Amino acid sequence: MTHRVAETMKHSTMARPRNIRSSFSSLNPPPFFDLLSLTIFASFFSPKKIPRTLNPYLSLFFLSLLTSLAFLGISTINFLYSSPFYADSCSPKSPISFSSTSSSSQSRLLLSLLSPVASSTHQELPKLSTSVMIPLPAHGVSSNLSNEETEFWKQPDGEGYRPCLDFSFEYRKASAKISKENRRFLMVMVSGGLNQQRNQIADAVVIARILEAALIVPILKVNLIWKDESKFSDIFDVEHFKKTLRADVRVVSSLPFKHFKSKETKIPHDVSPHWIRSRFLTQLNKERLLVLNGLDSKLSKNLSFDLQKLKCKVAFHALKFAAAIQELGNQLTRRMWIEGPYIAIHLRLEKDVWVRSGCRTGLGSDYDAIIAKTRNSQPEYLTGRINMSHIQRRRAGLCPLNALEIARLLKALGAPKQARIYTAGGEPFGGKKALQPLIAEFPNIVTKYTLSREGELSPFINKSSAMAAIDYIVSLSSDVFMPSHGGNMGRAMQGHRAYVGHRKYIKPNKRAMLEYFDDASISETELGTIVRKLHKGCMGQPEPRTKRKDRDIIAYPMPECMCQS
């Protein structure tokens, strides 16, 4: 058990039921009603303060005065609420009016307006339509561009698809019990970079739902490569996470009991809900706690429609970034967006990527020797197809595009030379030299470091997940997004951009295009024609997950999470 897990148990306490008051006892009336209660009501209805020799005419006077004031108060409120100056200028609804309602309806409406219980409940249940992170609108296409440039900036046709998380009746019926679970708990430890963590958290919520267990806020393991020790609350908005999933799974910050017996468990790849229930349900009922470690890509991609929708709800709605990250990300996004259309590229040129991919850097023999030495000392880092040479890997599309290849691809697709490019990702291996071919062709290169002002990034230095979250926010609002290599960031951005309206997403067809890149006899004009043809269906058009059953719903939210209107 890790130190963080032990710390989580140490500070846990028994949960106590909330003391629920009636709506009448918790009312906060406006000052007008406070005045009445302190004067007329106090003097007229309090038997201790009524003189025995009170003149009956005086009592009648007070009753008349009370009635007049009451009518005056209702008339004043009616005027205020029906006045166009009182109406919320951001609300599409008409101003509230009491004049067309009966007296009993007026009372109920007045109580609902004044009751803090009603308003706080509304605030505690975030709407899916407002909880999703929506990009700034795409820019219009300028009229003074060439046909190729116009086509490059043009957004794909979304074919009317929109988010559609309509859970079945059976799912909603079961939610009444599952959302109140307080006996069985699931604890998960997630690893990797930001988007790998996001995927595992989504799977953790689904597994908690399958087991009908309460989910403890996931523990983020220390990243072995970037040494990031961030907690869940450092990256994500915990309260928003809990509230958004309130109807699906109960999420708690810590265990409500101190003594337990459980050990960390790992699961194999591609497990089904049936396997999870048969393997863990008895254990969970007995021990009350299940601790899972290593969830990366372990849950089956083929789930029921309801569970697929739940994964989308987690990925696109519940996992909202922490306020400080979101605020800075939004500021950098506005600075990019205000200058006009821009491209976001997720550059996978970090040293660990070259080590793990088994590819050449394109920077020369000295740099390749450094990578080879590191790879030989840590052979476990090499991922997939060990027996392939670096040439075979590249031709198979397993290598990241280097800066020169990215520049040639963008140019062939019609990107204007003056296009502004935001590069997301870590520090490239080789520094400025690694980016030189891209800068030579597209000089307007921007990063989060050059876009931010002095001190803005200081709170997030050495916090790789926070830095990746900032890149995520800025990239989402780009007019065009392209990853230089496959990975969790590329898949997350592909699915998110599809979910919010199918924003342009270029998926490089490396396997098909690189042989043309290596053919020196092909002119730039001819290469452009070939490359545009190869990528005609790789520009972010609606692409259903059901074409291939091994696709993840987070990258392909159609058709389970989207409907065609």
Side-chain angles (χ1 to χ4, degrees), residues 50 57 76 79 90 113 121 138 155 161 169-170 194 237 291 300 351 353 369 442 485 498 533 561:
I50 299 177
Y57 291 104
T76 303
F79 170 76
C90 298
L113 287 169
T121 302
Q155 294 297 321
Y161 281 98
F169 174 76
E170 290 76 15
L194 172 72
D237 185 331
V291 182
S300 172
K351 182 180 178 179
V353 176
F442 298 94
H485 189 47
K533 186 176 181 180
C561 299

Side-chain angles (χ1 to χ4, degrees), residues 270-323:
D270 199 35
V271 296
S272 66
H274 175 74
W275 187 94
I276 291 172
R277 291 190 192 96
S278 60
R279 171 67 177 81
F280 295 124
L281 208 51
T282 302
Q283 175 187 345
L284 189 58
N285 285 331
K286 181 181 178 181
E287 298 179 358
R288 299 181 65 188
L289 174 67
L290 174 64
V291 182
L292 291 181
N293 188 4
L295 288 184
D296 193 26
S297 299
K298 301 298 178 67
L299 186 62
S300 172
K301 303 295 186 294
N302 300 304
L303 303 169
S304 68
F305 262 52
D306 283 325
L307 293 182
Q308 297 283 40
K309 291 176 189 297
L310 179 57
K311 282 193 72 173
C312 289
K313 187 175 182 179
V314 178
F316 305 131
H317 296 271
L319 286 175
K320 179 182 177 183
F321 294 124

Side-chain angles (χ1 to χ4, degrees), residues 16 23 27 38 48 144 166 182 327 349 353 434 506 530 540:
R16 298 178 180 178
S23 59
L27 279 177
L38 291 173
K48 293 181 180 180
N144 59 348
D166 51 339
N182 60 6
E327 182 180 354
L349 302 179
V353 176
I506 299 174
I530 294 170

Side-chain angles (χ1 to χ4, degrees), residues 274-480:
H274 175 74
W275 187 94
I276 291 172
R277 291 190 192 96
S278 60
R279 171 67 177 81
F280 295 124
L281 208 51
T282 302
Q283 175 187 345
L284 189 58
N285 285 331
K286 181 181 178 181
E287 298 179 358
R288 299 181 65 188
L289 174 67
L290 174 64
V291 182
L292 291 181
N293 188 4
L295 288 184
D296 193 26
S297 299
K298 301 298 178 67
L299 186 62
S300 172
K301 303 295 186 294
N302 300 304
L303 303 169
S304 68
F305 262 52
D306 283 325
L307 293 182
Q308 297 283 40
K309 291 176 189 297
L310 179 57
K311 282 193 72 173
C312 289
K313 187 175 182 179
V314 178
F316 305 131
H317 296 271
L319 286 175
K320 179 182 177 183
F321 294 124
I325 294 174
Q326 190 69 50
E327 182 180 354
L328 180 56
N330 290 342
Q331 288 177 0
L332 300 189
T333 300
R334 287 191 291 269
R335 291 171 198 169
M336 280 298 296
W337 188 90
I338 200 69
E339 298 292 334
Y342 68 97
I343 307 164
I345 301 177
H346 185 220
L347 287 177
R348 302 301 307 281
L349 302 179
E350 301 96 330
K351 182 180 178 179
D352 70 287
V353 176
W354 292 118
V355 171
R356 288 186 284 108
S357 63
C359 301
R360 295 286 176 86
T361 64
L363 299 174
S365 58
D366 291 344
Y367 290 93
D368 290 335
I370 295 173
I371 297 298
K373 183 179 179 180
T374 306
R375 189 183 300 130
N376 292 334
S377 65
Q378 297 173 307
E380 68 276 9
Y381 278 0
L382 184 61
T383 55
R385 307 192 193 184
I386 298 174
N387 297 326
M388 296 176 69
S389 68
H390 67 87
I391 297 175
Q392 291 172 322
R393 286 174 174 276
R394 181 173 176 272
R395 285 293 177 89
L398 299 176
C399 294
L401 294 175
N402 60 37
L404 177 59
E405 291 164 341
I406 293 169
R408 295 190 70 187
L409 174 57
L410 288 175
K411 186 177 179 181
L413 290 173
K417 186 176 181 66
Q418 69 275 16
R420 295 163 62 252
I421 298 177
Y422 178 88
T423 57
E427 183 68 23
F429 177 64
K432 291 183 178 180
K433 182 179 180 180
L435 294 178
Q436 198 54 48
L438 180 60
I439 296 173
E441 195 64 50
F442 298 94
N444 295 325
I445 302 289
V446 181
T447 68
K448 54 182 171 288
Y449 300 101
T450 59
L451 196 59
S452 61
R453 293 167 185 164
E454 186 177 357
E456 286 183 329
L457 286 174
S458 298
F460 311 111
I461 297 298
N462 299 325
K463 295 184 177 180
S464 59
S465 291
M467 290 292 202
I470 292 169
D471 279 340
Y472 190 102
I473 296 168
V474 181
S475 296
L476 184 63
S477 284
S478 64
D479 296 79
V480 178

Side-chain angles (χ1 to χ4, degrees), residues 495-508:
H496 202 145
R497 290 173 76 89
Y499 193 73
V500 295
H502 289 94
R503 292 287 282 269
K504 193 157 199 172
Y505 177 96
I506 299 174
K507 187 159 48 174

Side-chain angles (χ1 to χ4, degrees), residues 146 157 209 227-228 314:
S146 66
D157 183 1
R209 174 78 191 197
K227 312 299 181 184
D228 188 350
V314 178

